[in-house]
Every structure is written in C-alpha cells, then in structure tokens.
Amino acid sequence: MTVTTRPPRVAPRPEAPVAPVRAPDVGDLGVGLARSFPLRREGPAKLNGTAMYTDDLVFPGAWYGQTIRSSEPHARLLGIELDPAFDWSKVVVVTARDIPGDNYVSLLTDDQPILVTDEIRHHSEPVCLLAASDRQTLREAKHRIRLLTEPLPAVFDPLEATQEFAHFALAKGDIEAGLAEAELVIEGTYRVGHQEQLYIENNAMIAVPRPDGGVTIHGSMQCPYYIHKALKRALRLSDAQAVVIQAETGGGFGGKEEYPSIIAIHAALLAQRLGKPVRMIYDRHEDLAATTKRHPAIVTHRTGVMRDGRLVAQDIEVVMDGGAYCTLTPVVLSRGTLHAGGPYACPNVRIRGRAVATNTPPNGAFRGFGAPQTEFAAEMQVNRIAETLGMSPLELRRRWVYRLGDETPSGQILRESVAGEEVLERAAEAAEFERTRVQTGRVRTDRLAGSGSVARSSDVLSSASQKVARGIGMALGWHGAGFTGSGEVKLASVASLELSSDGRLRVLTGSTEMGQGTKTIFPQLAAEQLGLPESSIEMAPQDTSIVPDSGPTVASRTAMVVGGLVIQAAARMRALVEDSTGRPFADSYLEYATEHDGLRIDQQFEPYPNVNFDDETYRGDAYPAYGWACAVAEVEVDLDTGETQVRSVVSADDIGKAIHPVLAEGQVEGGTLQGVGYATIEEIKLVDGRYLNDRLATYLIPTSLDAPRIEAILVESPFSGAPHGAKGVGELPMDMPAAAVVAAIHDATGVWIHDLPATPERVLAALHGIPPPPLPGISTISARSTEPAPSAQDAGTPEEALDPRPDAETDPQPLRGPQP
Amino acid sequence: MPAEPPVESPTSLAQAFELLGDDGWRPIAGGTDLMVQITGELAPPPERILDLWQLDELRGIKLDNGWLVLGALTTYTEIRGAELCHQHLPALVDAAATIGAAQIQNRGTLGGNIANASPAGDTLPVLLATDAQIVLGSAAGERAVAAASFWTGYRQTARRPDELVLRVAIPLPRGRHVRFRKVGTRRAQAISKVVICLSWREDAGVWRDVRVGLGSVAATPIRATQTERVLEGAAARRETADHAAATIAAEIHPIDDVRSTAEYRRVVTARILHRLLREAGGW
Amino acid sequence: MTYRFNVNGDDVALDVPGMRRLLDALREDLGLTGTKEGCGEGECGACSVLVDGEVVDSCLVPVCQVDGREVLTVEGLAPQGGMDILQQAFLERGGAQCGICTPGMLMAARAYVDHGGAPVDEDIREAIAGNLCRCTGYTKIIEAIAAATTTGRT
C-alpha cells in the first residue's frame, strides 16, 4: 500500500467520488436472483458457525500427529536418530519400514514414496511420523530427531533437467512451410512461476481405527475415492475397511485433489500403530512449505503472420517443472499442450511439450491445470503481435478466433457450442475496450514522446511529471470441458438417486462440495426433473461406504458430467414411477415408495456420441466441448514504483448453461481474482530448493483492497452432450486474466513483462533497465550450500542476505528440527 | 496450539517495574508481533511474559508543552482516530493506516512497534524524522532516548531488560512539514519494501532542519544523513531533487530478500524522495 | 489462573494458562468451533472475533488480556437457530462459498456495521482488508455487507 501525506500547500485534488455499491431495490433483496434459485444448501451452517470442518471434529482420546521432513533438496538418507535422552515411550514413531503395503502414493506412477526410504528428493519430503497425546510432547519430540544425511547434487533448472515425466506433440499442416511463408515471425519466451492454491483452510486429516482392522478417514478433500484407493494399497485394506468421509472443506482449487492421500495415509499409519484416532492438522507454514503448487513453465512461441493480420503458423514449446515426483504432471502437461495455441484457427501448428523433474517439492493440480500457464503465453503473443502489426487486439482476435467448423491442432472439428466470438464482443463492449484504449493510448504516446522512448540513466532515480498511468488489456481463452480424451470413459463415474421406503429422496455421489455449490445444484437438478421443490431432495454425505465413485471433483466436470448423471437418474426414476403408477411423480412417489420398498437408480457415465480421441497419437476430439472466455482488465501503474493496481476486470464466460447464476458468477469472480493474483503479487522464490514464501506474511494473495471490481457476464452456448448443456465453470475464468492484466500494464507503460508475476520489481526493471529480479520458478542457490557440508553446523549461522520470514534475519526452518 | 509460557499481568507500573527487577521477562503489549513469534517457533519460547495490557498509565494521547505525547500502549486505531494526531502529525496517522488492517490496528501499539525494532516498522521513520524522544522507565526512574539513538542494531534497542517503553514525545516546531510514504507488498496487510518519512521547516525559501527517516533499507530504521545535508539550506528545485535522489541512492545499502531486491529498494527510495521534492516544490 | 470474561452474552471462567490464545480457548476450552484458524500469524483474519466491540485476530490475543472483557463470536451474532441481517444478506447474495473465511468475515462486517459503516465500496473493502477470501473475489461479500447496512438503516 502506498500512502502519501497530502501536502496542504498544493491545491487539493478533487476527491474521487465515492463509489456507492448499488443499493438493492426493495424488489431486489429477497426477491433477487438468489431467490429464483435455491439458496446455498449448507449456507446457514457455514454462516452461523455450525459447519464442521476437520479441525472442528472431536474424537475423544485422539492423539496429535506430526510429519518430520527433510531440510535438503537431494540427499541420501543414512539414518534417523532419536535422541536417547528423550523419553520415547510417550511417542509413536513410524518410518517407511512400518508401512504394511506398498510404500507408494497411488496416483499415476509408482514413484513417490509415502515415507522416504533411502533417498530424499526434495525439501520438506516426509521422512517419518510422530504421534503424541499432547502438543507440548509432540513439540519437544520434534526437536529430538535428527536426520543423518549425505547431500547429493540437486537439479533446479528445468532446462537443465534430464529426467522427463512426460512429453506430447501436436502437429497440424506444415510448420516449416508456414513459417517460411509468413511475412513476419514474432518470437517470445514467457515464464510463469509457482502459484499456491491458498485455500484458507489448511490440509487436515483425522484417522480413526475401525473394529474391523481398517481405518476411517475424516478430512478436508476433493476426491474421497482417490484417498480410498491410495489407503487400501498402503495399508492393505479391503474396500469396506477403508472408509473415507469428507468433512466440510474450506477450499480446494486442486490443492486438495491428490495431496490429501499422503496425509490420510500418514494419519492412518499412526492411528493403526497406536490403536487410537490421530489428528494431522497442518499449520499454514507446513502447508505452504510441503504441499503441491501450480507447475512453473517456460513457453516459447514463434508465430508466423502476414502483415494483413492473417495467422499462418504457430510453433510452440512448453517446458513444465514437475518437481521431484510425477504426481499428475503428465495430465497437467497434456492440458497445457492442448490449449497452448489459444482459441485460434491456424493452418500450420506444432506444439511440443515436456515436463521434467527437479529437486523441488512436487507440483500438482491447481485450477486450470496447465492451461493458465500456456494460455498466458498464447495471449501475450497475440497482444504483442497486435502491437507489431498496429492492429487493435480486439480486431486481431476477431479474425483469428475459432468459428464453428474450424479444426484444432489435434484434428478436432468444432461442431457445436463455439462461443469465442460472443464472449469477445460481450467483454469488449461491457468494458468499453476500444474507446478506453484510444484514451490510454493517447496519454501513453504523449508521455513517451515527452520523455523520449529511451530511458536516460539519470531518469532511473527521478520522478516524472506523470505519476500514474492507466491501461486496458484483453485476453481470450478456452477450456476443454471435463477430462481429456478418453478420461471420462475410463472413470466410468456413477451417480445415484435413491427413494427410500419411507419416501425420502436423496442424491448419492462422491462429488464433493468445497464452496462451488455441488450440494446446491444437484438437488436442484434432480428436483427439476422430478417436478418437486428442491428442498425435498437430500444429499447423502460424501462417505465412501455410502456413495458411489462419481470420479474426482476436478476438471470442471462436476456440473457437466456428474450433474448430467443426476439428471438422467432422476429422469429414469420419474419414468419408472410414472409408468408404474400412471400418475405424475410428485403425486405418486410416496405411495410407490411404500409399495415397492423404495427404489434406487444408479446412473453410469456413457461416452459422448461422436467424441473420439486416440491417446497414443493425441489426435482427435481432445474434449467433448470447450468453454470460452474473455477478460478485459484495467490497471493503474504507479510510474514511480512500478506498482500495479488492477481497478477492474470484465469477464465474459461461456459455460454452456448457467444452472445457478449466483453460484456461477461466484466461480467467475473467484477465478478471476486468482488470475489477478497470479499476474501481480503471488510470487514464490526458492533457495536451495526450498520455498522462501512459506508463511502467509510472505505468500501474498489479494486482499479486498487489492481486488478489482469484477463484472461477470455469463454466456450460454449449450453443449448437446450434456442433458442441461453445461460445460463447466470452475477453471475457465482462471485461464486469461493474467494476460489481460499484463496487456493493460503494457498499455499503461509501453513495456511488456514476459514473466509472471509482473511485480513492481519487474515493471520497474523493464521501464528503466535496472537489473530485474531472478527468473520465476527457478531456485537460486545460497552461498552456504556450495561449501562442503560440515558435520556439525553452527546453529546460529544466518541465511546470507535473505529474510524469508517477516523481518527475520534468519530462517529457523522449524520443519528441520534442531541444529546439531 | 502453540507454547504457552507463564505470564504475569501487573495492574500498575510500579508492580511491573518490580517484576522486571528479575531476569527473563519478555513484555507483551498488543501481541501482534510477539504472538506470531511464539506460534511460529522462531526460537525457543520466552521464559516468561510480562503482560502490559492492564497498564492504563501507558495509554493516552496528549499535548504537553508543545509536544505530542503518546503512551506506549496507544494503538494504531487510536492514532487514526485522535484529533490531536490529525492536527499536529498527520504523517503518523498515515503511517498507522498502512499497518495491517482493522484487526491489527485495533491491537498493535506504538510502543510495540518501537520495542520490536523491526527494520520495517512503519512508524519508526516518522519518529526519526520528527526527532521523537522515546521515554523509558524502570524502578530507577525515567530517561529519554532520542529516536536517532534508540535502534542500535538488528532488532536491538537502547532499552535495558529492566525497562519499559513508557511513551513517545514528539516536538512540534512551528512550520514543520512532514511527508510519509510506504511502498508495501500489497494494499493491506503488507510489510514495507521501502518506507520513508521526510520532514523540513521552510525558512525564506530554503529548507531547514531536514530529516529523512527510512525503513526496510538497513538492519534498523535509519536517517539518511548525507541526503539531509544535501537538502539542508537548499530549495526544493529540480536540481536539488536530482542531487538528493542520487545521494540517497548511493547512501543506502538495502538487501535482496523474499519481498524485494536491493536494486528496487535503492531506486524506489530515490524516486519517491524525488517525487516528494517535486510535490513540495510544485514543479 | 482463572480468567473471567463474557462470551456471546454468557459469563465464563477459564482456568487456563494466561498465554493461551483466545482462539484456542474459544475452540477447545469452550467448544465454540465457529472461529477458525487459517494461519496463526494474524494475516488471514479467519480467527476474527469482537473484543469489546472491536474486531481482532483471536490467534494473537492471549486469554489474560480478555479478562473482564466482552467477546463476541460468530455463534453470538444471532439467537440460536436464527440469522442476523448480515448472515441473511450473505446467504441471499452468495457471500459464502467454502465458508472457512465466513465467520471471521462476518465479525469484521459486524464491527463495520456497528460503527456506522456506510454502503460505500472502498470503505467496506478497507473494513474487511484483514480477512482473506480465496473463493469469492470479494464481490458478493461486499454486496452483502452493503445490503446489510442499507437494510439496517431502513
């Protein structure tokens, strides 16, 4: 925040008119949008403090668990030393040897151990587990463990990494011919750093031993059945012995897609050893230091265009940093690669993507899942090309955007539900893009003409006559709905609708609520089909012993795919009952229930017709449909400091069908702000493979004062394969705001920032040629780590010139335990 | 649940001083710094805590003989709401408004900011730039230490272990101008990257008694004394601003850290100083 | 030592260490789990409560400092089973998504409204600047708070 004492002598500037929030008409409040759609089902409980998140649950006699983690990025683990002077009889210790099943976190590839055996591959890797009956004992025990290690060389730069997790290639037309034919080839390299999901509720799990020898897990999660699968394998449990129950979950955004399996297994191992419940509630520092982040990426473009604006060639390379283990990296890379060209028709395309390993904590799912990274780069190219050609960024996109019948780089013909043009026009109009751009352009031209376009070295230290510059920028995005390729077919998700013998209706699904509105729209969809009020449909708890596997709550598939199953199940139930009774469902279902002892319909996903994809060649219909979105951002840049204030963002999003407009707007607004944070202040620096931004004081997300006014415009271009036409809304809004913000910064200042986040340091460096900060996403190496590792480190040695903790000269690295 | 060291909550200063006669006490005011240190396990928890919150003798804002006097337990909210502060030292109000947000401002105290001695403490450059006196007290009596001498090293102060910060006394010379500017990491709940407070008295067209207080560019809050000398006796013209900006850029030696870079801090400190001079000079 | 204070209208007496965080006293000793811990360092505001009408981060307040004071938590905003104007506005306008920031957000909003806050965008933003929300983008939260102030006035 920048505050200037207003000098009383200078004539006071007229106060900006205070912007009143539009006060609702009497007709609005209570009869507004929300009342035509159901209120949030679990809303009252969340509002009055009775909603039970994991840490709110009480299990009498529970112990507390703690993870002991590595403090080196790459090392051989020689041993775990327990201080003999400490009374270990009060503490349970679990190591890799104590794992009954396979020491792997089940996901895509068997490479990530649940606990380290002999090789540490990243900082904060879990090595062993402790449990104690009280937190004081646990705190003491944590400091009485020493990891005996031998450092190994570490790899931090993805461009130097040799271990590859995955690669993909897409080709269309003839790239070399296209580039040769082009009148102009514009090159660009773009780098994006890590981003933390920053759910406000930290990861948390409680494991409770079962009488049948199994474990019940209560926790914060997106995917109960991912945990179920991983738990069974690690602890050698049957389906019935492994019970996973989602507690109220305070945000996920992908950060609770795959990571919770590890915590659940850890808690379960301790609970089984102990025979008592064990609570593993992460604090913020541990969550930031150890859990997954968005994959950093380096995206290189060579784009061939004609001077008249035709797009003829796109040659794109994507390199993603997966961190130390595979997790979901191949799928993230896949989506990133498939979206890397942006929503544009181009005759000659080559996209090559690869994801590699570095000795940093594994990266994982985060809203957008590869697309925000590559679409940032794609949109930067479009905006830069518009500048080079002297064309409006809006006009250029009008020419390039996919239209019905166009072919994508994977060879998919876009046969329906194509709304790129519409969202482009709606956003541009609502934001008054062209009119504003003319104004800002004029001001920028005057300013640059006045000062000269080349910054003089003496200018670096001085202010200019203009202090603040305004800019406007746009970006267009697309997001394939649901799982890539044959993913949905493989998932074979099931959702069920049950009518009990006493006449109660409930939806059974493994899809979770994490704020996006699952528990509100599923009863709504079922009720619409059945002709009943929404309040008459219950939602079964997300408990694996009760509900079927509806696939993970990810990939913006919940409303589209699982919602579709709910509709189909309801339609079937209605038909069945009405056929039997000869009367409308609403009038006859209670009677039917009594007479037939209830009824249950299980609806399994069936492949979308005419959607074919070859996983081997990566050709065909990558997604059944795409969502389309356009963001227009306005910023103010402080020319003294390089600080950017994003004043407003208009986001027009085609989501196929807005099942619940208030909830859908909520997704657009929230996703937009995450994209704004990605573009501006959400920065992670690493030293020796360790995140420096490991507290909330140093990993920054936007506060209400940082947040722009956000206008969400919902557009509906329905997808015929979904019963309601919905195409997903969770991730699409995240794909393009960052590029819109950076384009707006360029409009204001005349400089392009190629690396995210576009911090004041980067903006000032671009404006005045001062040394920029280090490249994002790549760990620097401290002077200390290049010295030979001493056998007994000086406990008081401060980190050289780095203060990772607010106002601290040293980082105490509490995760490590004591200094010898 | 973090460590919970033993605590005493004296109800009078005399009682507090008596307790401080023994070793090992760590005073707590509003807790916005100390509680974070305990929870974050940055070091072994303090041996014992001296809770100052009940010491009303440390509260209050008043005018005393032409000085603005604020009790150590004055919160940022109280500073922002005090007519005396608005009237006599709006720069302090500006500084208080940049700290944290409502929750922190309701609990964070001026005395805490002073005693905690963070190089990024946002009120501290204001105290330096206004020649504030920090009044310490103990069983042995009171003594005043000039702000310029108070912060002696990284998180170290002139306060002896048996002393408490009682109040801050700020002189209010006539015709003094004070300007405050903080560049934070975001618009609220932000630690500063650069924080500057500039004060001067205008005398026949030139600046006198110039003070430049800076934070986040050294191990302590500092005065940019070379820059002050450049501005002393000069007018706020373009040439002066250029000279002052170059001087301050050469005078400070900030570091790279998690929040920013040395180069950014150096350059932005200079640019902001230049801007303040431009605004004062009206060109 | 026993600390006596008032929580949501009820007098309580807790014999706990004085440096226990008010957050832990509320959640664990009093079973009022509505107040949440998001960071433990006074950055996220999820633990916000009112002490003598002022919004504070309860993770930063030791119990010894609320002796004799009045504490209001989310559970005390409305009589049991009911909702106050703010809660109702949040519900109707979509101000809560995952809900974890919501109790703290409501307390900051409550303090704003009680201090006579107006339905002005920038002022509301400042009032809740100490409450991080990751889900909503703040848009509907601000609309809800504005609606509550306006309604409160009519």
Side-chain angles (χ1 to χ4, degrees):
Chain A
M1 178 175 185
T2 308
V3 173
T4 305
T5 309
R6 200 165 286 126
R9 283 187 174 211
V10 176
R13 290 183 209 91
E15 294 283 349
V18 287
V21 179
R22 187 183 69 83
D25 299 327
V26 170
D28 267 18
L29 187 62
V31 194
L33 220 40
R35 276 299 165 86
S36 350
F37 297 90
L39 298 176
R40 177 176 289 275
R41 175 62 66 97
E42 80 289 357
K46 285 175 171 173
L47 290 160
N48 65 21
T50 58
M52 300 296 271
Y53 301 80
T54 305
D55 195 33
D56 303 329
L57 300 172
V58 176
F59 292 91
W63 280 32
Y64 300 89
Q66 174 87 47
T67 312
I68 301 299
R69 300 177 178 277
S70 62
S71 60
E72 294 162 283
H74 196 200
R76 206 164 303 290
L77 179 69
L78 303 172
I80 301 168
E81 204 176 82
L82 306 183
D83 183 348
F86 184 77
D87 179 6
W88 289 98
S89 69
K90 304 180 297 175
V91 178
V92 167
V93 182
V94 163
T95 69
R97 277 195 296 268
D98 302 313
I99 297 172
D102 298 331
N103 184 11
Y104 286 120
V105 182
S106 258
L107 196 57
L108 297 181
T109 303
D110 283 349
D111 71 337
Q112 185 175 26
I114 294 163
L115 292 170
V116 171
T117 51
D118 52 17
E119 188 174 339
I120 291 164
R121 289 195 174 82
H122 64 87
H123 186 277
S124 299
E125 186 164 8
V127 176
C128 64
L129 307 168
L130 303 180
S133 61
D134 66 277
R135 279 151 296 186
Q136 178 62 21
T137 306
L138 201 57
R139 240 195 313 276
E140 285 166 23
K142 193 173 65 167
H143 291 284
R144 304 305 193 102
I145 293 187
R146 199 208 305 207
L147 304 181
L148 303 173
T149 62
E150 197 177 78
L152 294 168
V155 175
F156 297 135
D157 186 344
L159 294 179
E160 290 170 14
T162 52
Q163 183 194 345
E164 194 182 87
F165 288 126
H167 60 261
F168 298 103
L170 298 174
K172 178 185 175 195
D174 182 339
I175 189 62
E176 299 302 346
L179 289 168
E181 172 199 351
E183 286 167 350
L184 274 174
V185 176
I186 288 96
E187 301 193 5
T189 299
Y190 308 97
R191 291 168 174 265
V192 294
H194 297 83
Q195 188 186 17
E196 159 62 35
Q197 300 87 347
L198 224 291
Y199 28 77
I200 305 292
E201 183 214 10
N202 293 308
N203 270 290
M205 289 286 160
I206 301 174
V208 185
R210 298 168 54 81
D212 63 9
V215 178
T216 301
I217 295 289
H218 299 263
S220 191
M221 66 184 76
Q222 294 174 225
C223 311
Y225 273 97
Y226 277 12
I227 298 175
H228 187 248
K229 178 175 170 203
L231 202 60
K232 282 190 304 176
R233 186 175 177 204
L235 270 62
R236 293 226 172 94
L237 301 176
S238 69
D239 274 339
Q241 285 176 310
V243 176
V244 181
I245 304 175
Q246 185 214 8
E248 198 72 76
T249 295
F253 317 112
K256 294 174 183 169
E257 171 175 349
E258 78 275 19
Y259 195 83
S261 297
I262 299 175
I263 313 176
I265 294 169
H266 286 173
L269 286 168
L270 287 168
Q272 278 210 325
R273 267 288 289 278
L274 182 60
K276 290 189 213 280
V278 172
R279 308 173 72 87
M280 300 220 38
I281 317 288
Y282 280 16
D283 67 13
R284 182 59 64 181
H285 170 61
E286 181 168 26
D287 200 298
L288 283 168
T291 71
T292 59
K293 310 268 179 292
R294 185 184 296 288
H295 290 65
I298 303 159
V299 186
T300 314
H301 278 250
R302 284 192 304 158
T303 311
V305 298
M306 299 306 203
R307 288 188 196 283
D308 67 6
R310 265 178 297 145
L311 174 63
V312 294
Q314 287 179 306
D315 190 14
I316 306 170
E317 251 195 81
V318 179
V319 178
M320 286 194 183
D321 181 349
Y325 295 112
C326 182
T327 73
L328 295 171
T329 293
V331 197
V332 175
L333 178 69
S334 162
R335 182 174 280 274
T337 307
L338 286 163
H339 289 74
Y344 306 113
C346 180
N348 305 294
V349 180
R350 176 173 62 182
I351 307 175
R352 293 171 289 183
R354 70 181 193 279
V356 297
T358 62
N359 292 108
T360 60
N363 297 308
F366 187 174
R367 196 174 199 166
F369 208 76
Q373 294 97 312
T374 61
E375 293 198 49
F376 168 70
E379 290 307 285
M380 286 291 292
Q381 275 296 97
V382 176
N383 285 326
R384 287 181 58 223
I385 290 166
E387 182 196 25
T388 304
L389 295 177
M391 285 181 68
S392 153
L394 170 59
E395 188 50 41
L396 193 61
R397 288 180 169 87
R398 280 180 179 136
R399 299 201 195 178
W400 292 6
V401 66
Y402 280 127
R403 289 177 167 72
L404 216 50
D406 282 342
E407 184 185 334
T408 71
S410 71
Q412 176 171 9
I413 307 297
L414 298 169
R415 280 183 231 101
E416 61 160 303
S417 192
V418 175
E421 290 173 273
E422 187 177 351
V423 298
L424 186 61
E425 300 302 337
R426 295 284 301 272
E429 184 193 329
E432 297 185 69
F433 179 73
E434 289 293 20
R435 193 177 69 79
T436 309
R437 207 173 68 88
V438 165
Q439 292 171 353
T440 54
R442 196 181 299 134
V443 173
R444 181 184 71 249
T445 313
D446 289 347
R447 191 184 75 248
L448 291 175
S451 67
S453 54
V454 176
R456 296 186 295 271
S457 61
S458 60
D459 288 345
V460 183
L461 303 180
S462 53
S463 59
S465 52
Q466 190 184 347
K467 181 171 180 294
V468 173
R470 276 181 62 217
I472 189 166
M474 82 164 21
L476 185 65
W478 61 328
H479 202 87
F483 265 44
T484 307
S486 44
E488 285 298 337
V489 179
K490 291 200 183 99
L491 279 177
S493 307
V494 173
S496 307
L497 185 59
E498 180 188 82
L499 169 62
S500 67
S501 55
D502 59 351
R504 290 165 58 192
L505 286 157
R506 69 176 184 168
V507 173
L508 297 100
T509 159
S511 299
T512 54
E513 171 70 60
M514 47 176 145
Q516 81 286 51
T518 308
K519 285 187 174 162
T520 304
I521 65 163
F522 282 3
Q524 178 192 341
L525 292 172
E528 274 164 14
Q529 286 299 307
L530 299 173
L532 290 172
E534 156 274 331
S535 53
S536 56
I537 317 283
E538 295 167 25
M539 283 284 291
Q542 277 59 54
D543 175 332
T544 55
S545 66
I546 298 175
V547 296
D549 186 354
S550 312
T553 311
V554 303
S556 311
R557 61 185 291 276
T558 302
M560 173 173 131
V561 176
V562 188
L565 298 177
V566 170
I567 290 173
Q568 289 169 330
R572 274 173 61 197
M573 179 178 282
R574 180 174 189 157
L576 216 147
V577 170
E578 291 184 348
D579 281 346
S580 168
T581 64
R583 292 181 352 255
F585 183 90
D587 301 335
S588 60
Y589 79 98
L590 289 171
E591 176 192 305
Y592 182 97
T594 319
E595 282 175 17
H596 293 84
D597 201 28
L599 169 64
R600 174 167 168 153
I601 307 283
D602 299 307
Q603 187 71 27
Q604 181 158 61
F605 177 77
E606 278 157 42
Y608 296 112
N610 306 316
V611 176
N612 301 299
F613 188 72
D614 186 331
D615 292 311
E616 299 302 310
T617 61
Y618 252 61
R619 303 245 357 119
D621 306 320
Y623 302 93
Y626 294 83
W628 310 86
C630 180
V632 177
E634 281 191 64
V635 305
E636 276 174 15
V637 181
D638 183 319
L639 295 173
D640 289 339
T641 64
E643 292 168 288
T644 300
Q645 176 77 18
V646 184
R647 296 243 60 110
S648 72
V649 180
V650 173
S651 181
D653 298 71
D654 161 39
I655 61 177
K657 167 79 179 160
I659 297 165
H660 190 305
V662 175
L663 293 177
E665 282 171 4
Q667 290 305 294
V668 173
E669 289 155 6
T672 297
L673 187 60
Q674 289 182 2
V676 167
Y678 190 40
T680 55
I681 58 174
E682 295 188 37
E683 179 169 40
I684 294 185
K685 297 179 181 172
L686 297 93
V687 167
D688 299 335
R690 169 175 66 87
Y691 299 126
L692 287 186
N693 308 74
D694 60 0
R695 297 189 189 268
L696 264 203
T698 50
Y699 185 80
L700 307 175
I701 65 171
T703 67
S704 53
L705 283 174
D706 300 289
R709 307 252 169 84
I710 302 170
E711 182 184 344
I713 299 171
L714 301 177
V715 172
E716 293 179 323
S717 175
F719 164 52
S720 67
H724 41 13
K727 294 190 286 191
V729 63
E731 294 170 281
L732 173 66
M734 178 99 214
D735 289 341
M736 55 313 147
V741 168
V742 174
I745 292 173
H746 169 263
D747 190 49
T749 63
V751 297
W752 287 109
I753 308 298
H754 285 228
D755 301 335
L756 284 189
T759 58
E761 286 77 6
R762 293 201 165 97
V763 172
L764 217 58
L767 277 171
H768 292 284
I770 60 173
L775 294 172
I778 301 185
S779 178
T780 56
I781 297 170
S782 69
R784 191 162 60 149
S785 79
T786 59
E787 293 159 12
S791 53
Q793 282 175 300
D794 175 4
T797 308
E799 293 285 309
E800 298 298 333
L802 294 166
D803 96 285
R805 171 71 184 80
D807 318 324
E809 195 167 60
T810 65
D811 178 13
Q813 296 189 13
L815 293 184
R816 167 161 58 190
Q819 309 273 13
Chain B
M1 184 178 277
E4 297 164 342
V7 61
E8 287 285 340
S9 304
T11 51
S12 73
L13 256 185
Q15 212 186 332
F17 289 151
E18 196 187 317
L19 289 166
L20 282 168
D22 295 324
D23 289 338
W25 290 102
R26 187 80 185 275
I28 187 173
T32 57
D33 283 314
L34 183 54
M35 294 298 279
V36 184
Q37 293 177 36
I38 295 175
T39 303
E41 299 181 26
L42 298 192
E47 203 184 304
R48 47 194 176 168
I49 311 263
L50 187 69
D51 169 24
L52 307 178
W53 204 244
Q54 303 203 49
L55 301 178
D56 287 336
E57 293 133 294
L58 301 182
R59 293 192 163 90
I61 303 174
K62 62 183 198 274
L63 222 48
D64 186 357
N65 227 3
W67 289 58
L68 180 64
V69 181
L70 304 102
L73 289 184
T74 305
T75 66
Y76 302 120
T77 297
E78 284 164 353
I79 290 172
R80 290 184 75 183
E83 180 53 37
L84 282 177
C85 292
H86 282 271
Q87 205 183 333
H88 296 288
L89 195 52
L92 188 61
V93 175
D94 292 334
T98 69
I99 296 173
Q103 290 89 334
I104 298 295
Q105 290 174 15
N106 285 333
R107 293 275 303 171
T109 64
L110 190 56
N113 211 218
I114 290 167
N116 199 47
S118 161
D122 292 313
T123 65
L124 310 187
V126 180
L127 302 181
L128 282 171
T130 55
D131 293 332
Q133 296 277 318
I134 292 155
V135 180
L136 299 162
S138 69
E142 291 186 4
R143 64 186 182 108
V145 177
S149 314
F150 189 78
W151 297 286
T152 54
Y154 178 70
R155 289 187 175 268
Q156 289 169 343
T157 71
R159 181 183 77 88
R160 292 194 303 259
D162 66 331
E163 288 178 314
L164 294 173
V165 176
L166 299 184
R167 59 188 178 274
V168 181
I170 306 174
L172 303 173
R174 305 200 69 204
R176 183 182 64 192
H177 306 281
V178 189
R179 302 282 176 266
F180 174 85
R181 182 90 181 259
K182 167 179 167 178
V183 178
T185 45
R186 60 183 168 186
R187 279 198 68 197
Q189 296 282 82
I191 297 168
S192 60
K193 298 182 181 185
V194 162
V195 53
I196 178 170
C197 187
L198 172 67
S199 93
W200 74 96
R201 197 171 50 77
E202 209 146 314
D203 178 14
V206 300
W207 286 22
R208 296 284 175 207
D209 303 333
V210 180
R211 305 279 183 268
V212 181
L214 294 176
S216 293
V217 295
T220 68
I222 59 170
R223 292 242 317 259
T225 49
Q226 293 172 32
T227 308
E228 290 171 356
R229 281 198 286 279
V230 163
L231 292 169
E232 188 71 31
R237 287 195 304 266
R238 170 103 210 200
E239 302 77 52
T240 318
D242 289 347
H243 188 187
T247 305
I248 207 168
E251 180 175 7
I252 62 177
H253 306 285
I255 61 171
D256 290 331
D257 68 8
V258 66
R259 271 180 291 288
S260 188
T261 63
E263 202 50 32
Y264 180 84
R265 290 181 155 114
R266 201 179 62 82
V267 164
V268 168
T269 302
R271 294 170 74 82
I272 289 176
L273 178 65
H274 198 275
R275 169 71 59 191
L276 291 173
L277 288 161
R278 179 193 286 268
E279 285 170 352
W283 42 269
Chain C
M1 177 154 170
T2 301
Y3 296 97
R4 296 172 205 284
F5 48 102
N6 188 283
V7 180
N8 299 334
D10 297 323
D11 290 326
V12 304
L14 286 184
D15 185 6
V16 296
M19 285 308 291
R20 174 153 303 180
R21 300 181 306 175
L22 177 58
L23 174 64
D24 297 321
L26 291 169
R27 288 179 56 79
E28 301 194 19
D29 299 304
L30 296 173
L32 294 168
T33 57
T35 308
K36 309 299 180 193
E37 177 163 6
C39 72
E41 49 178 307
E43 289 287 338
C44 73
C47 67
S48 299
V49 300
L50 302 193
V51 175
D52 288 348
E54 302 288 347
V55 69
V56 298
D57 293 319
S58 63
C59 72
L60 300 182
V61 177
V63 166
C64 59
Q65 292 189 355
V66 296
D67 196 54
R69 311 274 175 192
E70 282 183 16
V71 177
L72 188 70
T73 73
V74 64
E75 291 96 338
L77 285 177
Q80 196 151 48
M83 290 204 288
D84 77 351
I85 283 174
L86 272 167
Q87 291 163 314
Q88 187 68 28
F90 269 59
L91 183 64
E92 288 172 356
R93 295 181 169 272
Q97 287 188 29
C98 84
I100 196 75
C101 80
T102 303
M105 190 72 72
L106 286 168
M107 301 321 292
R110 170 89 276 148
Y112 180 70
V113 169
D114 287 350
H115 283 83
V120 171
D121 185 84
E122 186 77 3
D123 292 349
I124 294 174
R125 287 179 186 269
E126 189 182 355
I128 60 170
N131 295 81
L132 296 179
C133 176
R134 196 50 160 167
C135 293
T136 67
Y138 303 103
T139 306
K140 290 179 179 354
I141 290 175
I142 294 165
E143 287 172 11
I145 295 172
T149 62
T150 308
T151 310
R153 292 220 163 114
T154 56

